Amino acid sequence: MKANRMLISTLKENPQDAKIASHILLLRAGMIKPEVAGIYNFLPLGLRVLNKIEKIVKEEMDKAGCIEILCSALQPKELWVESGRWEKYGPELMRLKDRHDREFCLGPTHEEVFTSMAKDLIKSAKALPINIYQIQTKYRDEFRPRFGLMRSREFIMKDAYSFDKDTQGLEASYQNMYDTYSKIFTRLNLHFQPVLADTGNIGGNGSHQFMALSDVGESEIVYCDECGYAADVEKATTKLDNYKGMEEKPYSKIHTPNAGTIEELQEFLKMDPKNMTKTLVYHDYMNEKFVIAMVRGDRELNVIKLVNALNSNENYLRLATDEELLNLGFVKGFTSPIGHDKDFEVYVDYEVELMDGFLTGANEKDYHFLNVKYGRDFKGIVCDLKTATEGDFCPVCGKPMKQERGIEVGQIFKLGTKYSEPMNCTYVDLDGKNKPMVMGCYGIGITRVMQSIVEQYHDEFGIKWPINVAPYEVVIVPINIKDEAQMNLAEEIYNRLLEEGIEVVFDDRDARCGFKFKDWELIGIPYTIVSGKNAAQGILELKDRNTLEKIEIGKEELINKLIKDIMNAR
Ligand code: ATP
Ligand code: MG
C-alpha cells in the first residue's frame, strides 16, 4: 500500500478529552475518530486491526465447534417483555419507536433474539448441543461513556449462546468456552486473568470474567497466590476475620459533636473504625422502597452485592438524598438501624453480625450509640455486603489475598433456563417430553480488546502492535524520495515483500524522513525498513518497533529475516 493513498491522519497534540494512554494513542495514531460522546468511527488503520482481532476470535470459535450467524441490532420490544427485561434492563437500553409507534431497542446483548431463534429453529434433542455466535454491533446508553473504546455507547461484541439438553451439557459447553477464551486472549497477546464474576444484567448462576491486567482497568480483582482463587471484587467473598468489636454490654448514648463521618469519629473518639459500622440508606427505585445497609466501619459497601440481595438493578439503586433522609426521619451522619428496623429492611453484612458490640449513629444530631449488637438491639437480613480488598483472607484456603486492576475483555455465563423457560424455548426429549433448553452465553468486547492491547503495548513514542494484530507488518521509508538508488531499492523490497504475502506500506509521501519515522512509531508498525545512504550497495536499515533496535542489513538477508519472523508471529 502506498502511504499517499492511505488517509493517514496522525495528530501531533494530545486530544483534550482523552485521559488514558490507549485512548490518546488510538486517536493520535488516526485509528479511530470520535463522532459524539461514546461513538467512534474506525479509520483505515484501525479497521485493519479490528479485522485481525475478529479473525483470530472467529478462528478459535470455529475450532471450538461454534457456528456463526449475524443478527440485526434492532430488536422488538415484545421479545424483551417476554424475558422480563424491558423494564429491568434500565436506562442503558436504547429504546426507539418506528413510524407506526411500534417499540424497539438497539440490542445491548442478544439473549432474547438467540433464545427466540433456537425456539423456532430447534425442535429435537438431536440438534443439541449447539453453540451459535456472531460478531456484531451493540448499543448501551452508558451513564458515563469514557476512555474511548473501553466504555463506548456503540461497540462490537462477539456474542455466543450455547443450548444444551441438561446442566451437565451446559457444564461441558461452558468449559469449552472457558478454554477457547483462554486461547483467544493468549493469541491476542493479552496478559489476562480469568476471575469469578457477578452475573449483572445478564443473570444466571455462574460466571467468569476475563480481565486484561492494567492499572487503568475499571475492575478490581482480588486473587490468592496460594490456591489460585481469583474474583472480581463485585463477586469476591472472603473468609471472615472473626473480629468481635466492642465488649458485649447494653448500648449507651455518647455525645459526638460534629462527628458524622468515620474519619471524624476516628479523630474525635480515637477509636478504630473496625469498631464502628457504616449505616447507609439506599433508595431502590426498582422495588420502590428505601432500605438500610450496614458494613463495618473499615469497609466499603459493595453496591452490586446489595443489588443482588434486593433483586434490583444497579441503575436503579442510589444512596438516599439529604432530603429523602430528612423526610424518612433519619439524621444524616448519625443514622441508626435502632428504631428503624420495623419500618425498613435492614441488610447487615456478615462481619457486623459477628460483632459483640459496635458504634453506630443514634439517629440524633451529634450523638452515637456505643456497644450496639445486631440481633439484640435490632433485627435484619444478614448477607455478604462488603467489598473484598487486599489482605482479606481467601475464601478457599484462608491465606491473605492480593488486589489488582483489570479491564473486562470478556465474560461467560451459565444462564440455565433463565431465558428458555419464560420464552418457552423447548426441545422434544427422547422420552417425548418438552423440556427447556439449558443455556450459556459468552461475550468478548472486540473493540475494548483492541484498546486493551494498546494499553498493554505502548511506550512514550506510540503504539507497539504485536505482529499478528498490527495494521501492517512492515513499512518502507526511503530517506529521500528524489534519490533514485534509494527509491529503486525501496520499490524492489516492497514488491518482493508483497509477493511473499507480507503486509507492507511504502511511504511515498513528500515529507521529511524524521516526520515519517515519528508517524510510524506512533502508529506502531512492527518493522521499519529505511532505504538511505547505503542503498546503492543494497544495504538497508531495519528498525524493530518493540525493542527500538536498529541494524544495518543486506537486502537478501533482510527479506529472509522478515519472512521468518513474521510467519512465526502470525
Ligand atoms: P461492564 O461491566 O464493563 O459494563 P458488562 O459486564 O456490562 O461490562 P457484558 O454484558 O459482559 O458487559 O458484555 C460482554 C463484553 O462486552 C464485556 O466483557 C466487555 O468486554 C464488552 N463491553 C461491555 N460494555 C461495553 C462498552 N460500553 N464498551 C465497550 N465494550 C463493552
Ligand atoms: Mg460483563
Side-chain angles (χ1 to χ4, degrees), residues 215-483:
D215 288 344
V216 303
E218 292 187 274
S219 305
E220 296 275 2
I221 307 162
V222 290
Y223 64 96
C224 173
D225 273 343
E226 281 294 312
C227 72
Y229 173 83
D232 188 311
V233 290
E234 290 181 348
K235 179 74 180 175
T237 54
T238 67
K239 185 163 172 267
L240 297 179
D241 61 9
N242 288 331
Y243 186 70
K244 293 288 178 196
M246 297 171 183
E247 62 178 307
E248 188 168 341
K249 61 180 190 186
Y251 73 85
S252 57
K253 195 154 85 176
I254 51 164
H255 191 212
T256 51
N258 298 319
T261 65
I262 297 288
E263 293 73 31
E264 288 161 353
L265 285 165
Q266 184 177 7
E267 177 68 26
F268 181 73
L269 295 171
K270 305 285 175 247
M271 185 189 280
D272 186 342
K274 269 178 118 170
N275 286 335
M276 310 175 191
T277 55
K278 290 181 182 165
T279 305
L280 305 158
V281 181
Y282 277 89
H283 188 172
D284 176 358
Y285 294 86
M286 184 135 150
N287 299 306
E288 287 176 359
K289 63 183 176 189
F290 289 88
V291 298
I292 297 172
M294 295 179 74
V295 290
R296 214 167 65 188
D298 61 329
R299 293 296 192 175
E300 292 303 323
L301 181 122
N302 183 328
V303 180
I304 299 299
K305 289 183 178 175
L306 183 59
V307 163
N308 289 339
L310 288 166
N311 194 20
S312 184
N313 174 303
E314 66 178 297
N315 288 310
Y316 287 107
L317 193 69
R318 300 260 181 281
L319 274 171
T321 61
D322 291 359
E323 201 186 332
E324 286 169 337
L325 285 177
L326 203 66
N327 290 340
L328 296 167
F330 291 103
V331 182
K332 191 187 175 196
F334 303 89
T335 45
S336 171
I338 297 180
H340 279 123
D341 55 340
K342 301 263 179 320
D343 303 324
F344 300 94
E345 288 167 10
V346 185
Y347 290 82
V348 176
D349 184 68
Y350 289 128
E351 284 182 341
V352 175
E353 183 203 20
L354 268 182
M355 289 164 85
D356 288 337
F358 49 79
L359 180 99
T360 183
N363 218 21
E364 185 180 334
K365 185 158 170 35
D366 294 340
Y367 286 93
H368 277 81
F369 287 139
L370 280 171
N371 301 95
V372 174
K373 185 169 169 54
Y374 170 74
R376 182 192 67 189
D377 302 327
F378 68 99
K379 299 215 165 21
I381 300 153
V382 179
C383 57
D384 183 18
L385 288 180
K386 70 171 191 298
T387 306
T389 183
E390 174 108 21
D392 279 347
F393 301 122
C394 171
V396 179
C397 74
K399 295 276 165 13
M401 294 191 287
K402 293 186 175 148
Q403 191 166 354
E404 215 168 322
R405 283 184 167 275
I407 304 162
E408 182 198 320
V409 283
Q411 185 163 12
I412 58 179
F413 303 81
K414 292 176 196 169
L415 295 174
T417 55
K418 180 177 157 52
Y419 295 89
S420 51
E421 232 160 311
M423 297 186 69
N424 213 10
C425 173
T426 59
Y427 68 99
V428 184
D429 205 354
L430 301 176
D431 57 12
K433 291 204 178 106
N434 266 331
K435 294 184 182 159
M437 295 185 205
V438 183
M439 294 173 55
C441 78
Y442 317 92
I444 291 181
I446 301 282
T447 39
R448 190 184 278 184
V449 161
M450 174 170 163
Q451 193 172 320
S452 303
I453 297 174
V454 179
E455 202 50 59
Q456 290 188 351
Y457 293 86
H458 72 268
D459 60 15
E460 70 263 45
F461 307 114
I463 306 173
K464 305 196 289 185
W465 291 112
I467 292 172
N468 65 348
V469 292
Y472 289 90
E473 293 155 336
V474 181
V475 54
I476 302 178
V477 182
I479 295 273
N480 178 357
I481 58 166
K482 306 218 163 66
D483 181 311

Side-chain angles (χ1 to χ4, degrees), residues 89 92 108-109 111 138-140 142 145-146 148-159 198-202 209-210 218-219 232 234 314 407-413 442-449:
Y89 207 92
E92 245 177 52
T109 174
E111 281 76 19
K138 301 281 185 269
Y139 297 85
R140 293 185 186 180
E142 296 278 357
R146 58 192 177 276
L149 305 180
M150 293 290 189
R151 185 165 301 284
S152 47
R153 296 198 290 173
E154 181 189 80
F155 60 97
I156 299 175
M157 197 202 284
K158 184 286 298 170
D159 47 331
D198 180 67
T199 51
N201 256 338
I202 309 286
Q209 284 162 338
F210 287 74
E218 292 187 274
S219 305
D232 188 311
E234 290 181 348
E314 66 178 297
I407 304 162
E408 182 198 320
V409 283
Q411 185 163 12
I412 58 179
F413 303 81
Y442 317 92
I444 291 181
I446 301 282
T447 39
R448 190 184 278 184
V449 161

